[in-house]
Amino acid sequence: MTDQRKTLLILGSMDEFVLLVQRAKERGCRVLVADGYEQGPARAYADASFTVPATSTETLAHLCREHEVGALITSFSDTLFEAGCQVAYAAGLAAPLAPDKLECLRDKERMKEMFSHLGIPYPHSRVAPAEKAERACDGMRFPCVVKPLDGYGSYGVRVVRDADEVRAAAYKAAAESRRAAKVVLEEYDEGREFNMITWISKGRAFPVSIADREKSPRGDGELPHVSRIVYPSRFAERVMAEALRYAQRVADFAGIVNGPLCMQFFWSPESGMHVCEVAGRVFGYEHELLEYASGLSVEDLLLDTALDHEALAARLEAHDALAMEQRSCGLYFHMRDGIVANLAAARTALDAPYVQQSLLYYAEGDVARNARGGKPYAARAFLAATTYEELDVQSEAMFARFSITGAEGEELAIANCIPGGARNDAQDDAPTIRCTGAL
């Protein structure tokens, strides 16, 4: 007897896909999972799984045809989003973005051209070959950020203080680029930083959330690392309308009819808003925070996008991004290179009663490395509370207690900071920085 259930291919098998697979099966779908990770935990919950790299477009398209896949879902990383669009297009399935528009959400030079065309403000920047980067920075305001033209995450990204530092940083950045030995030189924006999730339904951009993206300094020219992301932003009412207008312009230009469109931007009362990047996927390692704060599930939105556009529209119409009842945050712990010797303090911190969920990425004896191919964090923890004040107190306690000791007795955990300390004052325009935690 032929299986009449809708067959979904979920591109991705790591831990963030487990709940997506489970909820798809709850809706009565037959779920296939595929990517290059043989031990991906989501495989255990799928009806069938395949070890095929996400970039193997033709192999995955053949798999879709062979198994009569009706829809493809992926998210959480730029690599998976790009691969998912390519596979869906090759298999004749609905895709959130046509392949000829992918570069607008992928290549930073094309993205900035799109911003200029659409009248979207962005940090002052230039694109140049690595060997000409020193000359290209003439007239730019330092500090500057040097980044690969088409890199993912923060690999190869450095802050430079003067022109003398540009050349070495440019060659390191260009080495991370897959397609071009060019780099982006961008003036460092001192404004507050935000993550915004919008969702496109029938061509209209709906606001889902705006979160405060807080960072802590690393030193030695490294880009400050993300240490806390807070849902909803304390400044959501002040930035929502303008940010949503820009998201709608991008959706119209790229031809996105249904699906997520996320945006990172800077804002301050003095300099206004500058959009850093846009992406066609949901932010990884934080989407759970939306559900803690509002009850709205990213997994449900992804499944509605694939299965039921009317349900998607209704869900988004009912959601108020400015009226979340709870507060939530993700804490992201980073570490220096070294051999992990003692995780007792880290485990104690992550076991605090107010922690909703946590993940420790290392075990004793592991070698920590921050280069490409290393683990994204030392650990992460999700917290939830009824007020910002309570969330800040919990966060400061976690930062103070978290510690990882190296083989020589050295502290490997990098100290995290909370801008402005434990307070809820969205009127303050220039937050002070107080560092807490292991030094």
Side-chain angles (χ1 to χ4, degrees):
M1 182 176 178
T2 303
D3 193 336
Q4 298 299 313
R5 293 177 297 167
K6 178 91 168 186
T7 299
L8 297 182
L9 172 63
I10 294 180
L11 198 58
S13 71
M14 300 308 287
D15 57 292
E16 62 265 41
F17 288 94
V18 169
L19 187 56
L20 182 61
V21 173
Q22 291 173 327
R23 292 195 175 173
K25 293 192 70 174
E26 288 171 4
R27 293 196 184 199
C29 295
R30 176 172 177 262
V31 181
L32 314 182
V33 165
D35 66 8
Y37 299 101
E38 293 185 7
Q39 305 302 319
R43 295 178 181 275
Y45 301 90
D47 292 287
S49 67
F50 304 87
T51 305
V52 180
T55 52
S56 298
T57 302
E58 291 304 322
T59 300
L60 289 168
H62 175 75
L63 186 152
C64 289
R65 291 188 288 269
E66 180 182 4
H67 292 270
E68 299 182 339
V69 169
L72 185 153
I73 303 177
T74 193
S75 196
F76 310 129
S77 84
D78 292 310
T79 302
L80 287 174
F81 171 73
E82 183 176 358
C85 288
Q86 298 283 11
V87 172
Y89 184 80
L93 301 173
L97 197 67
D100 64 338
K101 294 291 188 180
L102 273 174
E103 292 300 307
C104 297
L105 274 66
R106 173 70 177 85
D107 182 288
K108 293 179 176 63
E109 186 172 24
R110 290 282 302 277
M111 188 181 296
K112 292 178 189 304
E113 290 173 356
M114 175 181 67
F115 289 163
S116 294
H117 175 73
L118 298 176
I120 297 174
Y122 57 90
H124 181 213
S125 61
R126 293 173 183 165
V127 175
E131 66 272 15
K132 297 181 179 179
E134 286 178 278
R135 194 183 319 162
C137 73
D138 287 347
M140 295 189 71
R141 174 179 54 80
F142 286 93
C144 283
V145 179
V146 181
K147 59 179 72 174
L149 185 66
D150 60 353
Y152 293 119
S154 296
Y155 293 114
V157 180
R158 293 187 67 85
V159 176
V160 294
R161 306 295 171 180
D162 53 48
D164 292 338
E165 298 180 2
V166 169
R167 185 175 181 82
Y171 279 106
K172 289 180 180 178
E176 296 292 343
S177 177
R178 297 188 306 168
R179 292 176 247 185
K182 290 183 178 181
V183 298
V184 178
L185 304 167
E186 185 173 283
E187 290 183 357
Y188 191 85
D189 198 306
E190 301 288 351
R192 296 178 183 271
E193 190 171 355
F194 302 85
N195 280 354
M196 180 179 186
I197 300 175
T198 66
W199 215 279
I200 315 303
S201 173
K202 301 179 181 180
R204 175 186 168 189
F206 286 84
V208 173
S209 67
I210 292 184
D212 293 317
R213 181 179 167 90
E214 301 175 0
K215 293 183 175 181
S216 297
R218 297 181 68 100
D220 300 326
E222 294 286 347
L223 197 69
H225 65 259
V226 175
S227 51
R228 193 169 76 141
I229 298 178
V230 181
Y231 279 70
S233 167
R234 289 174 163 96
F235 301 86
E237 290 190 8
R238 300 177 69 176
V239 300
M240 178 77 76
E242 183 179 4
L244 186 62
R245 286 198 300 271
Y246 298 147
Q248 185 67 66
R249 292 178 193 177
V250 172
D252 292 342
F253 179 84
I256 303 174
V257 178
N258 295 288
L261 179 65
C262 292
M263 186 166 77
Q264 292 183 351
F265 63 93
F266 299 94
W267 172 86
S268 71
E270 296 80 17
S271 60
M273 186 173 295
H274 296 109
V275 177
C276 179
E277 294 184 4
V278 290
R281 46 77 183 163
V282 178
F283 302 112
Y285 304 114
E286 72 174 86
H287 69 278
E288 298 93 336
L289 299 173
L290 173 66
E291 191 162 1
Y292 293 140
S294 70
L296 188 64
S297 162
V298 164
E299 286 81 9
D300 284 338
L301 291 172
L302 287 168
L303 289 167
D304 285 346
T305 301
L307 302 172
D308 191 339
H309 293 165
E310 295 303 320
L312 176 66
R315 198 183 300 272
L316 293 169
E317 289 278 4
H319 175 66
D320 188 344
L322 296 176
M324 297 187 189
E325 295 184 0
Q326 291 282 106
R327 308 288 177 254
S328 66
C329 72
L331 306 182
Y332 305 90
F333 298 90
H334 301 250
M335 63 193 297
R336 302 173 181 88
D337 290 354
I339 299 174
V340 177
N342 192 327
L343 291 165
R347 292 192 181 100
T348 298
L350 296 173
D351 284 341
Y354 46 77
V355 175
Q356 304 299 309
Q357 63 168 284
S358 65
L359 182 61
L360 185 59
Y361 286 82
Y362 288 92
E364 280 90 352
D366 286 352
V367 177
R369 55 191 298 272
N370 290 302
R372 180 178 287 277
K375 298 177 181 180
Y377 309 109
R380 73 175 193 264
F382 296 151
L383 315 181
T386 56
T387 67
Y388 289 117
E389 290 86 353
E390 184 182 358
L391 204 63
D392 287 342
V393 170
Q394 294 175 359
S395 299
E396 287 191 315
M398 289 283 291
F399 287 165
R401 295 169 183 164
F402 190 88
S403 174
I404 297 177
T405 306
E408 303 298 322
E410 76 278 23
E411 180 58 64
L412 296 181
I414 299 173
N416 281 339
C417 302
I418 295 181
R423 65 161 192 224
N424 176 20
D425 185 0
Q427 302 306 312
D428 287 350
D429 296 329
T432 57
I433 303 295
R434 179 168 74 257
C435 285
T436 59
L439 296 175

